[in-house]
Each structure stands twice: as structure tokens, then as C-alpha cells.
Amino acid sequence: MSDESKGIDPYETVLIDLYAKRDQILQAIAAIEAIRGGALGGSIGGAAASGSAGSIKPSNGSLDHPGALLGMSIVDAAKALLASKRTPLKNPDFAAMFKAGGLHMNSKEPANTIGSVLTRRMSEVGDVVRVGRGTWGLKEWYPNRSFKAKDDEKKDEKRPQEGSLPPCPVDLPK
């Protein structure tokens, strides 16, 4: 054997290739988790924790690293954070986490903007709900709770029932 062939370890080449493929798989897993909203079971926690993939978010669904929220809308980022943290969050908390995650807002008062956007989402779609003043959660966390706005309840009370005629605004002669 020549001196050149003794110096090259064939296993090292294979290991380098396998590490690269593992890192690609972990990146694909992180991308799919982000699309799902950050919720992840513990099935691959050991693989992610034991590897050298420091740029991949941890298996607990954390979105705290820089760039985790890049390209997301306010609603998508809020839903991802709520799913990741699994606890209701306040507007200022969202604003701080958005900034840390790379979602920068040009608003003077980001917390107010976030509150407005989430209020609209609650009334139009209902998947994000207000659980307290400036505090938000996911509707799926509260399966038996109604989150109708007080104004909507009053409108429903004033609205005539199906099949009934509204009162006539003008008195007709008999």
C-alpha cells in the first residue's frame, strides 16, 4: 500500500457525508414544523439534541432564535408563537418576540398594531381569541367557551328571529 492510501480513512468520508445528510434532514424538519405552527411532539427530540445542528430550532418548538419569524405575517407569527409557548400571550410580549424572531414592524406602537390585527382576526376567522385585556390565545385551547364580542351579542338580541316579520315603521289605517 502506498503512504497516500494509508492516510485517508474511508469511514471518515462516509461519516462526513452522513453528518451533512442529517443536517439537511433536520433543516427540513424545522421548515415543516414552522409551517405547522411550531407544534412538535417529542419523537425526534433526542436526534435534534444530540446532533451538531445548532442552527435548527430545538424540538420543543421554540421560535426564539433570530430569523425564526422572517417572512411571516403578524397573524401567522402570533399563531406560531402561541402554539410554541402553549400559553396566552400579551401584545407587548408578542412585540418583543416578533423583534427577536426577525419580524420587524414599522409601527410607532407595535403592541397596538398587533392588538388591532388580532382583534380583526378574532372577529373574521376566530382561530385567535382574546382571553383577557390585550391577552391572546388559540380558540382550540377553549373548546367549550364562546368568544363572541359583546357588541355581536347585542346585535343578535335585536335581530328578528327567522320567520318573524319586523315591526312596521308606519301605522297603517285599518
Side-chain angles (χ1 to χ4, degrees), residues 39-74:
L40 167 176
S43 61
I44 56 172
S50 66
S52 62
S55 64
I56 306 299
K57 71 178 179 169
S59 64
N60 65 1
S62 173
L63 295 171
D64 295 334
H65 62 85
L69 304 176
L70 280 175
M72 288 186 171
S73 68
I74 291 173

PDB file of all heavy atoms in Angstrom, residues 39-74:
ATOM      1  N   ALA A  39     -45.704  23.452  16.518  1.00  0.00           N
ATOM      2  CA  ALA A  39     -46.063  22.390  17.452  1.00  0.00           C
ATOM      3  C   ALA A  39     -45.368  21.111  17.047  1.00  0.00           C
ATOM      4  O   ALA A  39     -45.418  20.705  15.915  1.00  0.00           O
ATOM      5  CB  ALA A  39     -47.579  22.179  17.434  1.00  0.00           C
ATOM      6  N   LEU A  40     -44.689  20.497  18.001  1.00  0.00           N
ATOM      7  CA  LEU A  40     -43.926  19.295  17.664  1.00  0.00           C
ATOM      8  C   LEU A  40     -44.006  18.299  18.799  1.00  0.00           C
ATOM      9  O   LEU A  40     -43.891  18.672  19.952  1.00  0.00           O
ATOM     10  CB  LEU A  40     -42.468  19.711  17.418  1.00  0.00           C
ATOM     11  CG  LEU A  40     -41.458  18.627  17.348  1.00  0.00           C
ATOM     12  CD1 LEU A  40     -40.140  19.201  17.012  1.00  0.00           C
ATOM     13  CD2 LEU A  40     -41.648  17.596  16.411  1.00  0.00           C
ATOM     14  N   GLY A  41     -44.162  17.068  18.492  1.00  0.00           N
ATOM     15  CA  GLY A  41     -44.118  16.030  19.509  1.00  0.00           C
ATOM     16  C   GLY A  41     -42.682  15.763  19.917  1.00  0.00           C
ATOM     17  O   GLY A  41     -41.749  16.293  19.347  1.00  0.00           O
ATOM     18  N   GLY A  42     -42.481  14.913  20.892  1.00  0.00           N
ATOM     19  CA  GLY A  42     -41.143  14.651  21.383  1.00  0.00           C
ATOM     20  C   GLY A  42     -40.449  13.519  20.658  1.00  0.00           C
ATOM     21  O   GLY A  42     -39.430  13.042  21.110  1.00  0.00           O
ATOM     22  N   SER A  43     -40.948  13.061  19.531  1.00  0.00           N
ATOM     23  CA  SER A  43     -40.410  11.875  18.904  1.00  0.00           C
ATOM     24  C   SER A  43     -39.011  12.055  18.348  1.00  0.00           C
ATOM     25  O   SER A  43     -38.265  11.102  18.257  1.00  0.00           O
ATOM     26  CB  SER A  43     -41.350  11.407  17.787  1.00  0.00           C
ATOM     27  OG  SER A  43     -41.463  12.398  16.803  1.00  0.00           O
ATOM     28  N   ILE A  44     -38.619  13.249  17.978  1.00  0.00           N
ATOM     29  CA  ILE A  44     -37.290  13.422  17.415  1.00  0.00           C
ATOM     30  C   ILE A  44     -36.422  14.310  18.276  1.00  0.00           C
ATOM     31  O   ILE A  44     -35.391  14.771  17.856  1.00  0.00           O
ATOM     32  CB  ILE A  44     -37.352  13.994  15.981  1.00  0.00           C
ATOM     33  CG1 ILE A  44     -38.116  15.301  15.952  1.00  0.00           C
ATOM     34  CG2 ILE A  44     -37.895  12.989  15.020  1.00  0.00           C
ATOM     35  CD1 ILE A  44     -38.070  16.018  14.652  1.00  0.00           C
ATOM     36  N   GLY A  45     -36.830  14.525  19.506  1.00  0.00           N
ATOM     37  CA  GLY A  45     -36.064  15.399  20.387  1.00  0.00           C
ATOM     38  C   GLY A  45     -34.657  14.912  20.604  1.00  0.00           C
ATOM     39  O   GLY A  45     -33.711  15.684  20.603  1.00  0.00           O
ATOM     40  N   GLY A  46     -34.471  13.610  20.784  1.00  0.00           N
ATOM     41  CA  GLY A  46     -33.144  13.078  21.014  1.00  0.00           C
ATOM     42  C   GLY A  46     -32.254  13.272  19.808  1.00  0.00           C
ATOM     43  O   GLY A  46     -31.081  13.590  19.930  1.00  0.00           O
ATOM     44  N   ALA A  47     -32.783  13.100  18.612  1.00  0.00           N
ATOM     45  CA  ALA A  47     -31.979  13.255  17.409  1.00  0.00           C
ATOM     46  C   ALA A  47     -31.548  14.694  17.233  1.00  0.00           C
ATOM     47  O   ALA A  47     -30.419  14.977  16.859  1.00  0.00           O
ATOM     48  CB  ALA A  47     -32.773  12.785  16.187  1.00  0.00           C
ATOM     49  N   ALA A  48     -32.442  15.639  17.506  1.00  0.00           N
ATOM     50  CA  ALA A  48     -32.087  17.044  17.330  1.00  0.00           C
ATOM     51  C   ALA A  48     -31.127  17.502  18.404  1.00  0.00           C
ATOM     52  O   ALA A  48     -30.227  18.283  18.152  1.00  0.00           O
ATOM     53  CB  ALA A  48     -33.348  17.902  17.350  1.00  0.00           C
ATOM     54  N   ALA A  49     -31.300  17.003  19.624  1.00  0.00           N
ATOM     55  CA  ALA A  49     -30.463  17.451  20.717  1.00  0.00           C
ATOM     56  C   ALA A  49     -29.052  16.878  20.622  1.00  0.00           C
ATOM     57  O   ALA A  49     -28.092  17.519  21.009  1.00  0.00           O
ATOM     58  CB  ALA A  49     -31.093  17.049  22.050  1.00  0.00           C
ATOM     59  N   SER A  50     -28.907  15.652  20.112  1.00  0.00           N
ATOM     60  CA  SER A  50     -27.595  15.029  20.082  1.00  0.00           C
ATOM     61  C   SER A  50     -26.768  15.464  18.895  1.00  0.00           C
ATOM     62  O   SER A  50     -25.568  15.241  18.871  1.00  0.00           O
ATOM     63  CB  SER A  50     -27.756  13.503  20.059  1.00  0.00           C
ATOM     64  OG  SER A  50     -28.363  13.117  18.846  1.00  0.00           O
ATOM     65  N   GLY A  51     -27.373  16.076  17.904  1.00  0.00           N
ATOM     66  CA  GLY A  51     -26.645  16.451  16.698  1.00  0.00           C
ATOM     67  C   GLY A  51     -25.907  17.757  16.843  1.00  0.00           C
ATOM     68  O   GLY A  51     -25.959  18.437  17.848  1.00  0.00           O
ATOM     69  N   SER A  52     -25.201  18.106  15.788  1.00  0.00           N
ATOM     70  CA  SER A  52     -24.438  19.347  15.781  1.00  0.00           C
ATOM     71  C   SER A  52     -25.166  20.433  15.016  1.00  0.00           C
ATOM     72  O   SER A  52     -24.559  21.362  14.514  1.00  0.00           O
ATOM     73  CB  SER A  52     -23.067  19.101  15.146  1.00  0.00           C
ATOM     74  OG  SER A  52     -23.252  18.694  13.807  1.00  0.00           O
ATOM     75  N   ALA A  53     -26.469  20.302  14.880  1.00  0.00           N
ATOM     76  CA  ALA A  53     -27.253  21.262  14.114  1.00  0.00           C
ATOM     77  C   ALA A  53     -27.680  22.400  15.021  1.00  0.00           C
ATOM     78  O   ALA A  53     -28.820  22.491  15.441  1.00  0.00           O
ATOM     79  CB  ALA A  53     -28.467  20.580  13.488  1.00  0.00           C
ATOM     80  N   GLY A  54     -26.788  23.310  15.333  1.00  0.00           N
ATOM     81  CA  GLY A  54     -27.082  24.417  16.223  1.00  0.00           C
ATOM     82  C   GLY A  54     -28.011  25.441  15.622  1.00  0.00           C
ATOM     83  O   GLY A  54     -28.650  26.203  16.321  1.00  0.00           O
ATOM     84  N   SER A  55     -28.114  25.479  14.289  1.00  0.00           N
ATOM     85  CA  SER A  55     -28.969  26.465  13.647  1.00  0.00           C
ATOM     86  C   SER A  55     -30.417  26.012  13.588  1.00  0.00           C
ATOM     87  O   SER A  55     -31.283  26.780  13.227  1.00  0.00           O
ATOM     88  CB  SER A  55     -28.464  26.734  12.227  1.00  0.00           C
ATOM     89  OG  SER A  55     -28.571  25.552  11.457  1.00  0.00           O
ATOM     90  N   ILE A  56     -30.686  24.780  13.940  1.00  0.00           N
ATOM     91  CA  ILE A  56     -32.045  24.255  13.919  1.00  0.00           C
ATOM     92  C   ILE A  56     -32.710  24.578  15.239  1.00  0.00           C
ATOM     93  O   ILE A  56     -32.104  24.491  16.288  1.00  0.00           O
ATOM     94  CB  ILE A  56     -32.030  22.724  13.719  1.00  0.00           C
ATOM     95  CG1 ILE A  56     -31.227  22.353  12.481  1.00  0.00           C
ATOM     96  CG2 ILE A  56     -33.415  22.164  13.654  1.00  0.00           C
ATOM     97  CD1 ILE A  56     -31.742  22.903  11.214  1.00  0.00           C
ATOM     98  N   LYS A  57     -33.997  24.939  15.172  1.00  0.00           N
ATOM     99  CA  LYS A  57     -34.679  25.234  16.424  1.00  0.00           C
ATOM    100  C   LYS A  57     -34.842  23.963  17.234  1.00  0.00           C
ATOM    101  O   LYS A  57     -34.963  22.879  16.678  1.00  0.00           O
ATOM    102  CB  LYS A  57     -36.008  25.920  16.164  1.00  0.00           C
ATOM    103  CG  LYS A  57     -37.071  25.059  15.580  1.00  0.00           C
ATOM    104  CD  LYS A  57     -38.321  25.867  15.423  1.00  0.00           C
ATOM    105  CE  LYS A  57     -39.378  24.985  14.796  1.00  0.00           C
ATOM    106  NZ  LYS A  57     -40.648  25.551  14.818  1.00  0.00           N
ATOM    107  N   PRO A  58     -34.858  24.065  18.543  1.00  0.00           N
ATOM    108  CA  PRO A  58     -34.975  22.894  19.395  1.00  0.00           C
ATOM    109  C   PRO A  58     -36.290  22.175  19.176  1.00  0.00           C
ATOM    110  O   PRO A  58     -37.263  22.753  18.705  1.00  0.00           O
ATOM    111  CB  PRO A  58     -34.911  23.463  20.818  1.00  0.00           C
ATOM    112  CG  PRO A  58     -34.371  24.815  20.689  1.00  0.00           C
ATOM    113  CD  PRO A  58     -34.658  25.275  19.297  1.00  0.00           C
ATOM    114  N   SER A  59     -36.342  20.920  19.592  1.00  0.00           N
ATOM    115  CA  SER A  59     -37.525  20.111  19.341  1.00  0.00           C
ATOM    116  C   SER A  59     -38.724  20.528  20.177  1.00  0.00           C
ATOM    117  O   SER A  59     -39.809  20.051  19.957  1.00  0.00           O
ATOM    118  CB  SER A  59     -37.206  18.647  19.604  1.00  0.00           C
ATOM    119  OG  SER A  59     -36.903  18.469  20.960  1.00  0.00           O
ATOM    120  N   ASN A  60     -38.550  21.434  21.153  1.00  0.00           N
ATOM    121  CA  ASN A  60     -39.695  21.867  21.945  1.00  0.00           C
ATOM    122  C   ASN A  60     -40.513  22.931  21.230  1.00  0.00           C
ATOM    123  O   ASN A  60     -41.434  23.477  21.791  1.00  0.00           O
ATOM    124  CB  ASN A  60     -39.241  22.380  23.312  1.00  0.00           C
ATOM    125  CG  ASN A  60     -38.385  23.624  23.222  1.00  0.00           C
ATOM    126  OD1 ASN A  60     -38.138  24.133  22.128  1.00  0.00           O
ATOM    127  ND2 ASN A  60     -37.928  24.112  24.352  1.00  0.00           N
ATOM    128  N   GLY A  61     -40.193  23.247  19.968  1.00  0.00           N
ATOM    129  CA  GLY A  61     -40.974  24.181  19.191  1.00  0.00           C
ATOM    130  C   GLY A  61     -40.600  25.629  19.420  1.00  0.00           C
ATOM    131  O   GLY A  61     -41.350  26.522  19.062  1.00  0.00           O
ATOM    132  N   SER A  62     -39.447  25.902  19.997  1.00  0.00           N
ATOM    133  CA  SER A  62     -39.044  27.265  20.309  1.00  0.00           C
ATOM    134  C   SER A  62     -38.842  28.089  19.044  1.00  0.00           C
ATOM    135  O   SER A  62     -38.225  27.628  18.088  1.00  0.00           O
ATOM    136  CB  SER A  62     -37.745  27.237  21.121  1.00  0.00           C
ATOM    137  OG  SER A  62     -37.265  28.546  21.286  1.00  0.00           O
ATOM    138  N   LEU A  63     -39.379  29.275  19.054  1.00  0.00           N
ATOM    139  CA  LEU A  63     -39.204  30.201  17.936  1.00  0.00           C
ATOM    140  C   LEU A  63     -38.416  31.421  18.380  1.00  0.00           C
ATOM    141  O   LEU A  63     -38.572  32.493  17.827  1.00  0.00           O
ATOM    142  CB  LEU A  63     -40.581  30.635  17.402  1.00  0.00           C
ATOM    143  CG  LEU A  63     -41.419  29.529  16.780  1.00  0.00           C
ATOM    144  CD1 LEU A  63     -42.819  30.038  16.491  1.00  0.00           C
ATOM    145  CD2 LEU A  63     -40.788  28.995  15.532  1.00  0.00           C
ATOM    146  N   ASP A  64     -37.573  31.266  19.394  1.00  0.00           N
ATOM    147  CA  ASP A  64     -36.865  32.391  19.983  1.00  0.00           C
ATOM    148  C   ASP A  64     -35.603  32.788  19.237  1.00  0.00           C
ATOM    149  O   ASP A  64     -35.036  33.821  19.524  1.00  0.00           O
ATOM    150  CB  ASP A  64     -36.495  32.077  21.444  1.00  0.00           C
ATOM    151  CG  ASP A  64     -37.726  31.919  22.320  1.00  0.00           C
ATOM    152  OD1 ASP A  64     -38.761  32.505  21.978  1.00  0.00           O
ATOM    153  OD2 ASP A  64     -37.630  31.211  23.332  1.00  0.00           O
ATOM    154  N   HIS A  65     -35.153  31.981  18.308  1.00  0.00           N
ATOM    155  CA  HIS A  65     -33.894  32.320  17.651  1.00  0.00           C
ATOM    156  C   HIS A  65     -34.106  33.356  16.555  1.00  0.00           C
ATOM    157  O   HIS A  65     -35.188  33.468  15.984  1.00  0.00           O
ATOM    158  CB  HIS A  65     -33.200  31.064  17.118  1.00  0.00           C
ATOM    159  CG  HIS A  65     -33.973  30.327  16.074  1.00  0.00           C
ATOM    160  ND1 HIS A  65     -33.926  30.652  14.754  1.00  0.00           N
ATOM    161  CD2 HIS A  65     -34.821  29.285  16.174  1.00  0.00           C
ATOM    162  CE1 HIS A  65     -34.699  29.840  14.063  1.00  0.00           C
ATOM    163  NE2 HIS A  65     -35.256  29.003  14.917  1.00  0.00           N
ATOM    164  N   PRO A  66     -33.073  34.147  16.265  1.00  0.00           N
ATOM    165  CA  PRO A  66     -33.187  35.195  15.242  1.00  0.00           C
ATOM    166  C   PRO A  66     -33.556  34.589  13.890  1.00  0.00           C
ATOM    167  O   PRO A  66     -33.034  33.558  13.498  1.00  0.00           O
ATOM    168  CB  PRO A  66     -31.792  35.815  15.192  1.00  0.00           C
ATOM    169  CG  PRO A  66     -31.160  35.467  16.489  1.00  0.00           C
ATOM    170  CD  PRO A  66     -31.758  34.157  16.903  1.00  0.00           C
ATOM    171  N   GLY A  67     -34.474  35.235  13.213  1.00  0.00           N
ATOM    172  CA  GLY A  67     -34.869  34.792  11.888  1.00  0.00           C
ATOM    173  C   GLY A  67     -35.984  33.762  11.872  1.00  0.00           C
ATOM    174  O   GLY A  67     -36.443  33.371  10.814  1.00  0.00           O
ATOM    175  N   ALA A  68     -36.440  33.313  13.025  1.00  0.00           N
ATOM    176  CA  ALA A  68     -37.473  32.273  13.070  1.00  0.00           C
ATOM    177  C   ALA A  68     -38.803  32.762  12.502  1.00  0.00           C
ATOM    178  O   ALA A  68     -39.594  31.958  12.016  1.00  0.00           O
ATOM    179  CB  ALA A  68     -37.672  31.790  14.498  1.00  0.00           C
ATOM    180  N   LEU A  69     -39.058  34.059  12.560  1.00  0.00           N
ATOM    181  CA  LEU A  69     -40.348  34.601  12.111  1.00  0.00           C
ATOM    182  C   LEU A  69     -40.235  35.387  10.802  1.00  0.00           C
ATOM    183  O   LEU A  69     -41.219  36.000  10.378  1.00  0.00           O
ATOM    184  CB  LEU A  69     -40.937  35.494  13.207  1.00  0.00           C
ATOM    185  CG  LEU A  69     -41.122  34.828  14.575  1.00  0.00           C
ATOM    186  CD1 LEU A  69     -41.616  35.839  15.597  1.00  0.00           C
ATOM    187  CD2 LEU A  69     -42.057  33.652  14.490  1.00  0.00           C
ATOM    188  N   LEU A  70     -39.073  35.362  10.177  1.00  0.00           N
ATOM    189  CA  LEU A  70     -38.884  36.100   8.934  1.00  0.00           C
ATOM    190  C   LEU A  70     -39.898  35.658   7.885  1.00  0.00           C
ATOM    191  O   LEU A  70     -40.138  34.467   7.696  1.00  0.00           O
ATOM    192  CB  LEU A  70     -37.478  35.877   8.374  1.00  0.00           C
ATOM    193  CG  LEU A  70     -36.380  36.699   9.002  1.00  0.00           C
ATOM    194  CD1 LEU A  70     -35.031  36.284   8.428  1.00  0.00           C
ATOM    195  CD2 LEU A  70     -36.596  38.177   8.779  1.00  0.00           C
ATOM    196  N   GLY A  71     -40.498  36.627   7.207  1.00  0.00           N
ATOM    197  CA  GLY A  71     -41.430  36.331   6.131  1.00  0.00           C
ATOM    198  C   GLY A  71     -42.832  35.982   6.575  1.00  0.00           C
ATOM    199  O   GLY A  71     -43.687  35.724   5.743  1.00  0.00           O
ATOM    200  N   MET A  72     -43.086  35.935   7.867  1.00  0.00           N
ATOM    201  CA  MET A  72     -44.425  35.603   8.357  1.00  0.00           C
ATOM    202  C   MET A  72     -45.258  36.867   8.512  1.00  0.00           C
ATOM    203  O   MET A  72     -44.731  37.946   8.760  1.00  0.00           O
ATOM    204  CB  MET A  72     -44.345  34.907   9.715  1.00  0.00           C
ATOM    205  CG  MET A  72     -43.837  33.511   9.701  1.00  0.00           C
ATOM    206  SD  MET A  72     -43.999  32.817  11.380  1.00  0.00           S
ATOM    207  CE  MET A  72     -43.609  31.128  11.074  1.00  0.00           C
ATOM    208  N   SER A  73     -46.571  36.706   8.407  1.00  0.00           N
ATOM    209  CA  SER A  73     -47.481  37.803   8.706  1.00  0.00           C
ATOM    210  C   SER A  73     -47.619  37.901  10.230  1.00  0.00           C
ATOM    211  O   SER A  73     -47.207  36.990  10.956  1.00  0.00           O
ATOM    212  CB  SER A  73     -48.846  37.544   8.075  1.00  0.00           C
ATOM    213  OG  SER A  73     -49.478  36.453   8.717  1.00  0.00           O
ATOM    214  N   ILE A  74     -48.218  38.979  10.701  1.00  0.00           N
ATOM    215  CA  ILE A  74     -48.430  39.154  12.136  1.00  0.00           C
ATOM    216  C   ILE A  74     -49.285  38.005  12.679  1.00  0.00           C
ATOM    217  O   ILE A  74     -48.972  37.421  13.715  1.00  0.00           O
ATOM    218  CB  ILE A  74     -49.077  40.518  12.439  1.00  0.00           C
ATOM    219  CG1 ILE A  74     -48.068  41.635  12.151  1.00  0.00           C
ATOM    220  CG2 ILE A  74     -49.585  40.588  13.870  1.00  0.00           C
ATOM    221  CD1 ILE A  74     -48.633  43.034  12.255  1.00  0.00           C
TER     222      ILE A  74
END
